[in-house]
């Protein structure tokens, strides 16, 4: 089963001003959608992102979703990213192969 994972940024919390910069992002509300084309898995959360002193500041209006998702995943670490994607894949697996079913009652079968 081939699964596609899509990370998205839903909202960013920012300090109005910090160290002479405006709209400095410190917290990201994210979501993760997974699909095999038929079934879907989902996760969402909030991730604080550190204010890196050794990286040049990117003005808020110049941020890209790819860049911010990169911050989120870096702050989480690769183990947490893998865990979240595995959880979304497990949600799909449960839909493909349900562990519990409710068959039609034998006396209701026509």
């Amino acid at each position: 089963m081939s699964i596609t994972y899509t990370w998205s940024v839903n909202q960013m919390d920012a300090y109005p001003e910090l160290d002479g910069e405006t709209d400095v992002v410190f917290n990201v509300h994210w979501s993760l959608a997974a699909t095999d084309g038929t079934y879907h898995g989902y996760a969402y959360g909030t991730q604080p992102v550190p204010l890196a002193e050794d990286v040049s500041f990117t003005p808020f209006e110049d941020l890209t979703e790819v860049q911010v998702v990169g911050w989120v995943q870096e702050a989480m670490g690769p183990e947490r990213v893998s865990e979240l994607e595995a959880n979304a894949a497990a949600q799909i697996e449960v839909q493909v192969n349900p562990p519990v079913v409710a068959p039609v009652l034998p006396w209701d079968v026509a």
Side-chain angles (χ1 to χ4, degrees):
M1 154 175 60
S2 177
I3 297 177
T4 302
Y5 300 97
T6 304
W7 288 80
S8 300
V9 174
N10 305 320
Q11 178 182 325
M12 296 185 289
D13 300 327
Y15 297 116
E17 187 199 0
L18 182 70
D19 297 330
E21 304 291 353
T22 58
D23 297 329
V24 179
V25 175
F26 67 90
N27 202 40
V28 178
H29 303 262
W30 57 268
S31 60
L32 166 63
T35 184
D36 69 355
T38 303
Y39 300 99
H40 305 278
Y42 191 74
Y44 63 93
T46 303
Q47 179 64 48
V49 292
L51 305 173
E53 294 179 13
D54 58 338
V55 177
S56 62
F57 181 78
T58 304
F60 189 87
E61 62 273 5
D62 294 337
L63 293 174
T64 66
E65 188 170 32
V66 169
Q67 179 182 15
V68 177
V69 165
W71 293 349
V72 167
Q73 291 179 342
E74 184 177 332
M76 286 179 175
E79 288 180 9
R80 180 69 177 142
V81 170
S82 293
E83 179 182 299
L84 288 163
E85 290 180 350
N87 184 327
Q91 292 174 35
I92 292 171
E93 179 60 29
V94 165
Q95 294 169 62
V96 172
N97 297 302
V100 175
V101 295
V104 175
L105 298 172
W107 51 88
D108 288 340
V109 177

